């Protein structure tokens, strides 16, 4: 099984806690054209490199392509996929993008939608709001494993929706 998330920090948390391979697809899909993943010259990469003091645009493109290659290798091998996501823009768009990418493959895919707002956090009478999945404690990961839902053979059913703005609906039980 391969775990997939759209947050690099959470990918590290999952890898350390679950001891399984994890692919971090942190592509910032809420910004700009989705076609930039196929275009190394897209201005997005230059802009992202300006804000990432450790990487050049070419390195960012290479890292994205490396993650896509890992994903392709795993799915081509028929590996089971478990996707971790939340209501954040990065996660939701990443999840929909991934579903679209996997829609024609017969894979065992499960998803875990992690809430970013947690009542009674750490058994205290508080409401905790996380900004991203990267803020989630590794101790909480086991509790979310029980919430995994299978996505059946039709990963994404294409349909047109004018209400809500989503182009795809997931089928799961």
């Amino acid at each position: 099984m391969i775990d997939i998330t759209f947050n690099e920090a959470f990918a590290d948390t999952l890898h350390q806690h679950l001891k399984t391979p994890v692919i971090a697809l942190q592509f910032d899909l809420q910004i700009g054209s989705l076609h930039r993943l196929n275009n190394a010259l897209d201005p997005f990469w230059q802009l992202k490199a300006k804000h990432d003091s450790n990487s050049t645009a070419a390195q960012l493109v290479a890292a994205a392509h490396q993650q896509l290659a890992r994903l392709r290798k795993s799915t081509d091998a028929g590996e089971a996929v478990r996707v971790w996501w939340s209501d954040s823009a990065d996660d939701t768009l990443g999840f929909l993008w991934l579903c679209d990418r996997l829609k024609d493959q017969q894979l065992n895919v499960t998803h875990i939608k992690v809430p970013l707002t947690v009542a009674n956090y750490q058994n205290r009478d508080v409401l905790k709001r996380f900004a991203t999945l990267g803020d989630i404690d590794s101790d909480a990961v086991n509790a979310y494993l029980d919430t995994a839902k299978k996505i059946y053979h039709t990963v994404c059913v294409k349909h047109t929706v004018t209400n809500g703005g989503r182009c795809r609906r997931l089928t799961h039980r």
Side-chain angles (χ1 to χ4, degrees):
M1 171 172 291
I2 188 90
D3 284 293
I4 297 175
T5 184
F6 307 98
N7 182 291
E8 290 173 2
F10 190 61
D12 290 340
T13 298
L14 288 175
H15 180 68
Q16 290 172 7
H17 188 77
L18 299 176
K19 309 292 188 230
T20 61
V22 180
I23 298 176
L25 300 174
Q26 189 164 345
F27 297 146
D28 302 308
L29 295 176
Q30 80 278 18
I31 302 168
S33 169
L34 297 180
H35 298 289
R36 72 169 176 266
L37 296 176
N38 300 322
N39 182 2
L41 301 177
D42 190 286
F44 168 82
W45 299 111
Q46 299 297 325
L47 179 63
K48 187 168 179 168
K50 281 184 183 179
H51 295 284
D52 184 344
S53 60
N54 299 324
S55 303
T56 66
Q59 290 169 325
L60 292 170
V61 171
H65 286 185
Q66 181 182 20
Q67 295 302 72
L68 289 171
R70 283 187 65 206
L71 174 65
R72 190 171 26 261
K73 182 179 177 185
S74 296
T75 57
D76 286 353
E79 249 184 279
V81 174
R82 181 171 50 205
V83 186
W84 298 76
W85 65 296
S86 72
D87 279 331
S88 75
D90 274 340
D91 289 341
T92 300
L93 290 170
F95 183 57
L96 293 173
W97 171 85
L98 181 64
C99 286
D100 185 61
R101 188 170 180 96
L102 299 178
K103 71 179 179 274
D104 296 326
Q105 295 183 295
Q106 298 291 321
L107 296 170
N108 180 8
V109 180
T110 56
H111 73 102
I112 297 175
K113 187 174 182 186
V114 179
L116 293 177
T117 304
V118 180
N120 204 18
Y121 179 69
Q122 293 182 342
N123 295 321
R124 293 182 292 174
D125 216 10
V126 297
L127 184 68
K128 175 75 173 176
R129 170 82 177 145
F130 298 104
T132 69
L133 289 181
D135 297 336
I136 303 286
D137 298 339
S138 64
D139 297 336
V141 169
N142 283 344
Y144 297 123
L145 286 170
D146 295 337
T147 67
K149 294 181 181 172
K150 184 172 173 74
I151 301 176
Y152 289 87
H153 71 281
T154 306
V155 175
C156 290
V157 178
K158 291 185 178 184
H159 67 95
T160 307
V161 177
T162 53
N163 259 346
R166 288 197 181 170
C167 300
R168 289 162 178 59
R169 175 176 43 108
L170 306 176
T171 57
H172 60 82
R173 291 186 193 151

